């Protein structure tokens, strides 16, 4: 295990506030020891449980203290008691799950509250009506088909081998309680920077609409604690908050502004005017609210943050070959393929400090980007990318049944069942919505290497329409159908191949490298093959190969207009030993200073 995994206890497991983009001061962390049981999925709730499990670590992980698999015909049960603080009386109580893989049902005090399907997205239940005074019993039942299902699952398989890893089932991110005002509260704040207009677009969504014209949203943008701008807008309306002379976000200067959103009551902006004659959605309405006066205390208030940055495509130095731009200027994007797996905790990072160590290592090594590979991280991971300054290509987790994947040379996409496509698109949209506010995320990756690829052109257009503020990588590697903003090749040859020029899209090397070095004493399983795309046995051979591969990237950047390079990979993972770090994060295979020196020509 890594040093951070060795430090995890039931008392310190993931104590940080789990949702940095929408913060309220009151909450209750439910991580820690729960009861668990594994039973056939045809059975009802168990009366006797098998033991205790450490939440939020998956049942298969070492840190869960269970380390048992869950097959497709079983159900994993969780149970614990909670007491609601007395000062939450009169408010609604939400029970939040950072992520549960894959399908779950929740009972509170014996009543069925609801269900959720999807392994990577945060969700919540309003449990207010099921609560009683004193102790309340929570029971969660979870099923997970893993490779026997078509659902998005990333690299999880029942038989881990090669590039496929140990399954993850059940709760694998923070569980927490939150009180919110009754009956109306702020459920979502959606922030989109509009750099060229010197403003941010802000949409504050309530749990249900309020038609009363005296209900308004007050937005305050701050530089630290100093107000930059403030405005009032009618609830249910889009707001445009000016940010003049903005400090721009970049990997070299990751500046973040603070934002406060308040649900308030104002004096009637249209006194003496009949409802039907009141202005709606126009300058007169905005002017009326600008002059309104807030009365009383806010009904609800949350804090968030944002950055002023723009990611786009534009002309580069090679005639006719577009490149990626950050804040309207060309910037080469250099990063690793980042799987996000840990030896003792699998998909769940062991701690905040562990995540920060990795991001800091990458920054110091001369990387300004990472490709988060077919996995969605906890919200705090992206928060650290935002504040530390590293761009993220966010993959959609793959999911498919045998026969639904494309080969390297295929141009015809296999058919997918309607329900499989519906679930993929539901989870893709959820991922984009949940992560929308993070300035570090600059690219959405729809499909990887033909794995479950379908309707790629349609999906790339759909993703671009949903979020025109970012670039879209329709297909990373293998089966390019001309969609999206990228032409992305994967090349694991000793000397990487050069991608063909494209006049309509940027060209990137979405995966290359794969230099393997099995470091004795730091292998997840010494009896495995422990492979790399090319495998060496000492640091000198590894360094020579790395210089060769990155020398080719520099040549492509200077002569071919390549916009980005993604090196495989940040760490060893299970039987893969092609990481810059060993799986336990104890050995840095190439010194940080050397990595930075090798990467430096990409930024000249």
């Amino acid at each position: 295990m890594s040093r951070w995994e060795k430090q995890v206890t039931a008392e310190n497991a993931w104590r940080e506030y789990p949702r940095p983009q929408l913060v309220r001061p009151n909450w209750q962390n439910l991580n820690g020891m729960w009861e668990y049981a594994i039973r056939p999925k045809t059975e009802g709730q168990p009366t006797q449980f098998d033991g205790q499990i450490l939440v939020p670590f998956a049942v298969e992980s070492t840190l869960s203290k269970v380390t048992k698999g869950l097959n497709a015909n079983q159900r994993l049960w969780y149970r614990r008691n909670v007491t609601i603080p007395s000062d939450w009386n009169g408010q609604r109580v939400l029970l939040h799950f950072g992520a549960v893989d894959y399908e779950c049902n929740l009972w509170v005090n014996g009543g069925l509250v609801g269900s959720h399907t999807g392994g990577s997205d945060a969700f919540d239940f309003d449990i207010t009506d099921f609560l009683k005074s004193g102790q309340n019993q929570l029971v969660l039942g979870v099923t997970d088909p893993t490779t026997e299902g078509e659902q998005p699952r990333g690299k999880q398989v029942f038989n881990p081998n090669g590039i496929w890893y140990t399954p993850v089932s059940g709760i694998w991110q923070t569980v927490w309680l939150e009180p919110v005002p009754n009956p109306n509260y702020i459920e979502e704040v959606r922030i989109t920077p509009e750099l060229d207009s010197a403003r941010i677009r802000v949409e504050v969504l309530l749990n249900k609409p309020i038609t009363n014209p005296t209900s308004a949203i007050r937005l305050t943008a701050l530089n630290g604690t100093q107000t930059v701008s403030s405005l009032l807008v009618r609830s249910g309306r889009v707001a445009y908050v000016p940010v003049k002379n903005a400090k721009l976000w970049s990997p070299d200067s990751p500046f973040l502004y603070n934002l406060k959103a308040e649900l308030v009551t104002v004096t009637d902006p249209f006194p003496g005017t009949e409802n039907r004659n009141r202005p709606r959605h126009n300058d007169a309405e905005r002017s009326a609210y600008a002059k309104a006066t807030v009365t009383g205390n806010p009904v609800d208030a949350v804090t968030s943050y944002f950055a002023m940055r723009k990611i786009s495509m534009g002309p580069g130095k090679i005639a006719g070959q577009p490149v990626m731009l950050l804040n309207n200027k060309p910037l080469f994007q250099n990063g690793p393929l980042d799987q996000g797996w840990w030896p003792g905790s699998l998909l769940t990072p062991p701690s905040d400090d562990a995540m920060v160590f990795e991001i800091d290592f990458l920054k110091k090594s001369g990387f300004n980007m990472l490709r988060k590979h077919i996995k969605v991280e906890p919200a705090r991971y992206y928060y650290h990318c935002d504040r530390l300054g590293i761009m993220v290509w966010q993959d959609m987790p793959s999911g498919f049944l045998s026969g639904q994947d494309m080969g390297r040379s295929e141009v015809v996409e296999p058919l997918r069942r309607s329900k499989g496509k519906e679930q993929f698109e539901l989870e893709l949209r959820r991922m984009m919505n949940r992560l929308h506010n993070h300035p570090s995320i600059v690219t959405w990756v729809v499909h990887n290497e033909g794995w479950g690829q379908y309707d790629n052109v349609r999906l790339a257009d759909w993703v671009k329409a949903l979020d025109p503020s970012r670039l879209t990588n329709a297909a990373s590697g293998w089966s390019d159908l001309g969609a999206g903003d990228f032409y992305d090749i994967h090349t694991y040859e000793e000397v990487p191949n050069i991608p063909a020029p494209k006049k309509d899209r940027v060209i990137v090397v979405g995966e290359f490298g794969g230099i393997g070095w099995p470091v004795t004493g730091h292998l997840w399983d010494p009896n495995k093959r422990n492979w790399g795309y090319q495998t060496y046995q000492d640091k000198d051979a590894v360094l020579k190969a790395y210089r060769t591969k990155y020398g080719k990237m520099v040549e492509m950047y200077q002569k071919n207009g390549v916009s980005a390079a993604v090196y495989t990979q940040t760490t060893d993972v299970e039987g893969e030993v092609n990481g810059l770090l060993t799986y336990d994060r104890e050995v840095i295979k190439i010194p940080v200073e050397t990595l930075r020196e090798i990467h430096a020509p990409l930024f000249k």
Side-chain angles (χ1 to χ4, degrees):
M1 291 195 291
S2 67
R3 73 192 85 155
W4 300 278
E5 289 166 319
K6 293 173 184 176
Q7 296 168 359
V8 171
T9 68
E11 291 70 38
N12 68 15
W14 278 104
R15 310 316 296 174
E16 295 82 6
Y17 190 83
R19 192 184 56 194
Q21 280 281 2
L22 190 72
V23 178
R24 289 189 179 90
N26 292 330
W27 68 296
Q28 183 178 333
N29 193 316
L30 297 185
N31 293 338
M33 303 309 298
W34 293 47
E35 293 178 282
Y36 88 94
I38 297 175
R39 297 287 187 272
K41 69 179 183 181
T42 53
E43 294 184 4
Q45 288 188 26
T47 55
Q48 297 294 320
F49 280 68
D50 299 342
Q52 291 197 315
I53 184 171
L54 178 53
V55 169
F57 301 105
V59 68
E60 296 90 347
S61 71
T62 303
L63 288 193
S64 72
K65 304 185 185 300
V66 177
T67 323
K68 293 180 181 177
L70 184 75
N71 69 43
N73 297 313
Q74 294 176 319
R75 194 181 310 273
L76 170 62
W77 293 94
Y78 294 84
R79 184 173 71 181
R80 72 158 289 169
N81 292 327
V82 298
T83 301
I84 307 302
S86 58
D87 58 358
W88 292 12
N89 289 345
Q91 301 180 82
R92 308 300 297 180
V93 177
L94 306 181
L95 175 59
H96 294 270
F97 292 88
V100 177
D101 197 350
Y102 178 67
E103 298 179 66
C104 68
N105 295 278
L106 174 72
W107 290 264
V108 174
N109 294 324
L112 178 61
V113 178
S115 61
H116 179 80
T117 301
S120 297
D121 53 292
F123 59 97
D124 63 74
F125 297 108
D126 185 336
I127 63 172
T128 313
D129 297 336
F130 296 83
L131 296 173
K132 61 183 182 181
S133 60
Q135 285 198 339
N136 294 268
Q137 185 185 82
L138 310 180
V139 174
L140 189 76
V142 182
T143 57
D144 184 9
T146 308
T147 40
E148 293 187 20
E150 197 175 340
Q151 79 288 350
R153 64 176 185 277
K155 288 201 166 187
Q156 304 177 56
V157 294
F158 278 131
N159 180 29
N161 64 94
I163 62 171
W164 306 98
Y165 313 141
T166 302
V168 168
S169 302
I171 297 169
W172 67 278
Q173 290 186 32
T174 292
V175 185
W176 55 294
L177 289 168
E178 177 187 36
V180 294
N182 187 15
N184 297 107
Y185 61 90
I186 296 170
E187 186 168 296
E188 183 181 354
V189 178
R190 186 177 176 88
I191 310 167
T192 307
E194 297 185 354
L195 193 65
D196 296 333
S197 302
R199 66 187 187 182
I200 55 171
R201 175 188 172 102
V202 183
E203 299 156 86
V204 178
L205 293 311
L206 306 181
N207 62 313
K208 52 187 176 182
I210 302 177
T211 57
N212 190 329
T214 61
S215 174
I217 302 295
R218 178 166 60 190
L219 294 165
T220 307
L222 304 109
N223 178 349
T225 58
Q226 182 177 358
T227 298
V228 172
S229 59
S230 181
L231 60 78
L232 278 169
V233 63
R234 184 174 180 172
S235 64
R237 301 288 194 267
V238 174
Y240 294 95
V241 182
V243 185
K244 304 295 186 183
N245 303 312
K247 297 180 180 180
L248 304 186
W249 185 97
S250 72
D252 291 334
S253 180
F255 185 82
L256 299 176
Y257 289 91
N258 294 320
L259 182 71
K260 187 173 185 179
E262 299 168 290
L263 174 60
V264 297
T265 302
V266 298
T267 54
D268 190 343
F270 319 107
T273 305
E274 293 294 329
N275 281 327
R276 63 181 179 273
N277 295 322
R278 289 175 174 173
R280 297 173 60 84
H281 303 282
N282 58 24
D283 290 338
E285 182 188 76
R286 286 191 287 271
S287 177
Y289 276 89
K291 297 173 184 177
T293 301
V294 174
T295 61
N297 295 322
V299 177
D300 192 16
V302 297
T303 56
S304 187
Y305 66 87
F306 66 93
M308 295 301 289
R309 72 99 182 88
K310 177 185 176 184
I311 184 72
S312 58
M313 181 173 68
K317 65 180 181 180
I318 308 298
Q321 178 55 59
V323 298
M324 283 190 286
L325 309 178
L326 178 66
N327 302 331
N328 297 320
K329 296 179 181 179
L331 178 64
F332 191 89
Q333 295 191 16
N334 179 44
L337 193 71
D338 197 285
Q339 310 276 7
W341 288 73
W342 295 81
S345 56
L346 303 179
L347 278 184
T348 310
S351 67
D352 243 31
D353 290 344
M355 297 190 302
V356 170
F357 166 82
E358 274 199 1
I359 299 168
D360 184 61
F361 161 75
L362 295 175
K363 289 274 293 182
K364 289 176 178 175
S365 299
F367 294 106
N368 62 1
M369 171 268 284
L370 61 86
R371 180 180 166 203
K372 183 51 63 179
H373 193 37
I374 54 176
K375 176 202 175 181
V376 181
E377 293 280 3
R380 291 194 64 83
Y381 181 90
Y382 302 98
Y383 161 68
H384 291 306
C385 291
D386 295 340
R387 70 177 187 85
L388 295 173
I390 193 161
M391 295 178 287
V392 176
W393 294 11
Q394 179 60 53
D395 287 15
M396 174 61 192
S398 304
F400 54 96
L401 293 167
S402 178
Q404 292 178 332
D405 53 321
M406 298 174 70
R408 286 177 171 83
S409 60
E410 289 183 83
V411 293
V412 178
E413 296 172 324
L415 293 175
R416 292 286 299 272
R417 298 182 300 171
S418 295
K419 63 182 180 181
K421 296 199 294 186
E422 290 161 5
Q423 189 63 32
F424 182 88
E425 291 168 41
L426 172 63
E427 293 190 46
L428 172 58
R429 184 163 191 158
R430 283 177 182 167
M431 179 186 77
M432 294 176 63
N433 286 341
R434 304 296 192 274
L435 301 180
H436 178 85
N437 289 357
H438 292 285
S440 58
I441 298 177
V442 296
T443 297
W444 302 116
V445 182
V446 181
H447 287 130
N448 176 74
E449 289 190 344
W451 300 349
Q453 182 173 323
Y454 74 93
D455 292 358
N456 186 251
V457 175
R458 175 181 68 83
L459 288 177
D461 290 343
W462 182 62
V463 166
K464 194 68 177 178
L466 285 175
D467 187 6
S469 72
R470 291 180 171 92
L471 297 177
T472 301
N473 188 345
S476 184
W478 294 13
S479 303
D480 178 74
L481 301 180
D485 299 312
F486 289 25
Y487 174 61
D488 180 331
I489 73 161
H490 294 179
T491 169
Y492 282 109
E493 293 73 13
E494 290 190 54
V495 178
N497 294 324
I498 300 172
K502 298 287 178 182
K503 303 295 185 181
D504 59 334
R505 292 178 289 165
V506 300
I507 52 176
V508 303
V509 179
E511 290 183 29
F512 80 105
I515 300 169
W517 179 16
V519 180
T520 302
H522 298 273
L523 299 175
W524 186 70
D525 182 351
N527 297 316
K528 279 188 173 287
R529 177 181 159 209
N530 291 307
W531 67 282
Y533 289 89
Q534 296 95 39
T535 303
Y536 304 93
Q537 300 300 325
D538 65 80
K539 64 180 180 181
D540 292 337
V542 168
L543 178 56
K544 181 180 178 181
Y546 195 87
R547 286 190 183 276
T548 297
K549 288 175 183 281
Y550 257 97
K552 198 66 177 178
M553 290 303 117
V554 173
E555 178 186 330
M556 292 182 198
Y557 161 60
Q558 294 174 342
K559 297 181 180 179
N560 303 94
V562 169
S563 277
V566 179
Y567 178 82
T568 300
Q569 56 193 6
T570 303
T571 73
D572 297 347
V573 183
E574 300 198 357
E576 281 189 74
V577 293
N578 44 32
L580 296 167
L581 300 165
T582 52
Y583 200 14
D584 60 8
R585 278 72 167 174
E586 287 301 315
V587 178
I588 298 174
K589 298 181 184 181
I590 300 174
V592 166
E593 298 78 11
T594 305
L595 290 171
R596 193 171 191 88
E597 171 253 315
I598 293 171
H599 300 155
L602 295 169
F603 305 111
K604 290 181 180 177

